[in-house]
Amino acid sequence: MPPRAVKVLHIEDDLMQQRMTAQQLKTLREFQFDIVAVDSEDGAVEEFQRRGPELVLLDYHLTQGNGLSCLHKLRERDRIVPIIAMSGLATPEIAAELLRVGADDYLSKQELTTEDLARSVRDSLARADAWRRAARPSSMKLVPDKTAASFDSLCQRFVADNAVDLLHRLDAFETAARASSLKVEQMQALFENACTDAADRRRLLRPLLLELILRLYSDEPTSE
């Protein structure tokens, strides 16, 4: 199967960082990335509207403009396109705010590895693909405004309450699970064991189980 072509908008004002990230993306052999780099918030919005990228890499610190403001503007134009925020200096509070506003993931440049970037890109594109398959252009027209607002509020609250620390813990467990070749039935057993203490715990933890199953087993072939 030929590699999937993906248009990337890289919002980054450091030329060396642009080149390093491009080299890291080349290691993802299943994709062929067509990267356009811009170095300002205004340039990012203009290029986003002109080109319609399928993936955005967004640096928080820009010489002209601000990553958080830029994220707001891009999300106003497209609520589905994957946006991965990156920074070498952002505080945990800023990282949490980026996720709350609409970033699919946050990556620290200081700790960034090629494997981390690859995982984030694959997961973000997979979530966007799943959302586009599930959502039809006319679907939102059938949703009452009050219901849509309630769901948006629920999503924002979930991100605000969990944000960066939860993502880091998910990443750490995923790494450990892959290293030990954890089977899906073992994952289910871990879940059942974690749900024994309280009646409501199963309902609260079920989204966590579904996210981990998606991460660990979504690429495995299904048996007939």
Side-chain angles (χ1 to χ4, degrees):
M1 180 181 296
R4 171 184 172 180
V6 177
K7 293 186 293 184
V8 179
L9 176 61
H10 189 189
I11 308 165
E12 169 64 68
D13 56 11
D14 185 321
L15 182 58
M16 182 62 69
Q17 190 67 47
Q18 291 178 12
R19 291 173 176 172
M20 288 176 58
T21 301
Q23 289 300 316
Q24 288 177 310
L25 290 176
K26 284 184 179 179
T27 65
L28 281 73
R29 301 299 184 186
E30 69 267 39
F31 301 109
Q32 182 176 350
F33 295 106
D34 178 12
I35 306 171
V36 169
V38 296
D39 60 6
S40 68
E41 179 181 340
D42 290 344
V45 174
E46 180 180 349
E47 188 65 28
F48 188 88
Q49 291 179 300
R50 186 186 72 82
R51 193 164 181 258
E54 297 152 290
L55 173 67
V56 177
L57 304 178
L58 169 64
D59 182 37
Y60 175 72
H61 291 281
L62 299 171
T63 302
Q64 185 279 312
N66 173 273
L68 189 60
S69 171
C70 186
L71 178 58
H72 268 290
K73 293 177 180 179
L74 299 186
R75 274 289 170 247
E76 287 175 354
R77 290 160 174 78
D78 192 319
R79 298 180 64 85
I80 299 178
V81 63
I83 301 178
I84 300 173
M86 307 169 71
S87 177
L89 300 173
T91 64
E93 291 75 20
I94 290 175
E97 182 66 9
L98 287 165
L99 292 169
R100 187 191 70 79
V101 170
D104 288 76
D105 199 1
Y106 169 79
L107 299 175
S108 171
K109 291 182 183 178
Q110 295 175 332
E111 305 169 356
L112 185 61
T113 65
T114 299
E115 291 73 20
D116 290 334
L117 180 61
R119 173 200 54 76
S120 184
V121 167
R122 289 187 180 106
D123 288 351
S124 297
L125 286 171
R127 283 193 289 268
D129 290 345
W131 179 260
R132 289 191 179 95
R133 286 195 298 268
R136 298 292 180 265
S138 60
S139 297
M140 284 301 295
K141 297 178 182 179
L142 305 177
V143 180
D145 291 343
K146 185 175 181 180
T147 303
S150 176
F151 181 72
D152 188 62
S153 175
L154 172 64
C155 292
Q156 291 189 32
R157 177 60 182 274
F158 180 82
V159 171
D161 287 350
N162 295 282
V164 179
D165 183 60
L166 176 61
L167 288 174
H168 287 170
R169 291 174 183 270
L170 278 168
D171 292 344
F173 177 80
E174 180 184 359
T175 299
R178 290 188 182 280
S180 60
S181 300
L182 195 72
K183 303 299 183 185
V184 66
E185 58 269 19
Q186 293 173 309
M187 185 69 246
Q188 180 68 31
L190 288 176
F191 175 71
E192 295 295 339
N193 185 63
C195 294
T196 57
D197 294 343
D200 291 336
R201 182 170 292 191
R202 175 181 293 273
R203 294 177 62 195
L204 291 171
L205 294 181
R206 188 165 181 80
L208 195 63
L209 172 67
L210 294 176
E211 169 65 12
L212 287 167
I213 287 177
L214 176 63
R215 287 182 177 216
L216 294 169
Y217 312 114
S218 60
D219 293 333
E220 292 186 357
T222 56
S223 57
E224 297 295 338

